[in-house]
Amino acid sequence: MTRIDIPRSHPRYRSLLVREKLVEGFERGLVVPQGLIAHGRGEAFDYILGEKTHDFALAAERASVAWMLLAEKPVISINGNYAALAAEVIARLAEATGAIVEVNLFYRTEERVRKIYEYLREAGVPNLLSPDCEKTHVPGLESARGIVCVEGIASSDFVLLAIEDGDRTEALVRWGKPVAAIDLNPFSRTAQKATITIVDEAIRATENMAEIAGGLRGAAKSELQAIINSYNNRIILQRAFRAMLERLSYAASRGKL
Ligand code: PTJ
């Protein structure tokens, strides 16, 4: 694979570094080729959003953290892209919320589950479920992509996932799991079906959530519940679409951003 030294002065420095992380993840066998394509789609939406966290995303991140802190068994579900991009930050979020971390793949092979597990372990991710956990199936997802741990997602009362296929989010919600989904594309089925939709880039969103968790950790249950009660995902999605529309209409009227 071709590698170049990316100069810090490059206007797309951060974006190129993130791509390098993903390509490295691909070469290590963590990320599937389809994951590289999925990343490109995410980048396009992030471009429209101005590559920053908007207030609607922060509200969704705050509600997700409040829910994770209130839940008895919150689980962070990790796929190849999320692990390759954000392992160190996932470690901080799991530490701050006490969430269980489970590797759960769309293109599942046992070999890749083990590789991602080892990668997360080396990054210091706590509360990590073993690939040898007792398994069951998400109802309605009977192929290998529906396999989950009995001690993890199957018995969880809140699931945080990122960069995920819509089918699985829908199946988890149908199963009665509240799901927070990090997805830059508000049109996607994941974004539309999730209980909480975080329209933000996965690394930024996870960093924000780890920080929010540090601040909310000592909060009273009533305060956490109030954050959740006042959250309305339909309005958050409307605000995400509106932000995109505003950026596009500004660009359309001026020919530049
Ligand atoms: O590792 P596996 O086997 O579980 O497979 C992972 C992929 C990503 C291949 C699989 O889940 C998949 O095919 O996902 P989709 O259906 O392409 O959906 C991914 C969604 O995540 C799209 O809506 C993208 O816009 C969005 N996305 C991509 N990169 C990011 C992102 N959202 C937030 N942050 C990103 N970095």
Side-chain angles (χ1 to χ4, degrees):
M1 191 72 59
T2 316
R3 279 279 147 71
I4 52 158
D5 280 332
I6 306 162
R8 280 189 165 273
S9 58
H10 193 290
R12 306 286 311 148
Y13 178 72
R14 189 183 173 280
S15 166
L16 292 176
L17 270 193
V18 171
R19 280 188 178 182
E20 288 300 313
K21 267 191 164 182
L22 211 62
V23 170
E24 222 178 278
F26 172 70
E27 288 170 343
R28 280 171 169 247
L30 309 175
V31 173
V32 283
Q34 294 86 339
L36 303 177
I37 298 169
H39 185 74
R41 183 189 295 167
E43 277 185 341
F45 281 99
D46 208 19
Y47 234 106
I48 296 173
L49 284 166
E51 297 175 312
K52 63 169 191 183
T53 298
H54 288 255
D55 53 1
F56 54 80
L58 260 184
E61 285 154 10
R62 194 170 161 77
S64 302
V65 170
W67 210 319
M68 285 171 97
L69 291 172
L70 262 187
E72 289 201 352
K73 197 193 260 190
V75 171
I76 308 176
S77 173
I78 312 285
N79 66 12
N81 283 45
Y82 195 25
L85 291 175
E88 292 79 13
V89 205
I90 292 165
R92 274 168 35 213
L93 180 60
E95 182 69 51
T97 57
I100 291 172
V101 180
E102 176 172 344
V103 178
N104 189 243
L105 302 181
F106 185 77
Y107 297 100
R108 185 183 179 100
T109 65
E110 288 315 307
E111 189 195 355
R112 199 154 70 89
V113 172
R114 281 176 202 283
K115 278 187 180 167
I116 294 170
Y117 168 82
E118 280 307 323
Y119 184 71
L120 294 171
R121 208 175 51 79
E122 280 163 26
V125 173
N127 320 324
L128 192 52
L129 282 182
S130 158
D132 297 318
C133 66
E134 190 190 336
K135 312 285 191 324
T136 185
H137 266 90
V138 179
L141 275 182
E142 298 308 329
S143 62
R145 71 206 174 101
I147 297 173
V148 288
C149 294
V150 171
E151 270 311 298
I153 289 174
S155 54
S156 69
D157 54 356
F158 187 80
V159 180
L160 169 72
L161 49 80
I163 319 175
E164 186 59 269
D165 166 82
D167 227 21
R168 310 171 91 226
T169 304
E170 200 173 357
L172 287 174
V173 170
R174 231 187 296 120
W175 201 13
K177 311 287 176 196
V179 172
I182 304 173
D183 190 335
L184 278 161
N185 175 8
F187 292 93
S188 77
R189 215 137 51 94
T190 295
Q192 289 291 315
K193 296 289 176 188
T195 318
I196 298 180
T197 310
I198 300 168
V199 184
D200 201 359
E201 193 277 323
I203 306 171
R204 281 200 311 265
T206 312
E207 278 169 354
N208 293 339
M209 290 170 78
E211 201 180 313
I212 294 167
L216 281 182
R217 206 159 25 172
K221 281 190 170 183
S222 56
E223 189 189 333
L224 299 174
Q225 194 62 57
I227 295 172
I228 297 166
N229 291 349
S230 64
Y231 181 82
N232 181 327
N233 205 48
R234 225 8 87 192
I235 290 175
I236 292 298
L237 279 166
Q238 284 174 350
R239 283 165 63 187
F241 283 119
R242 213 172 292 130
M244 289 182 171
L245 193 62
E246 278 164 14
R247 293 252 310 159
L248 288 170
S249 2
Y250 183 86
S253 63
R254 296 182 175 237
K256 62 174 188 172
L257 275 171

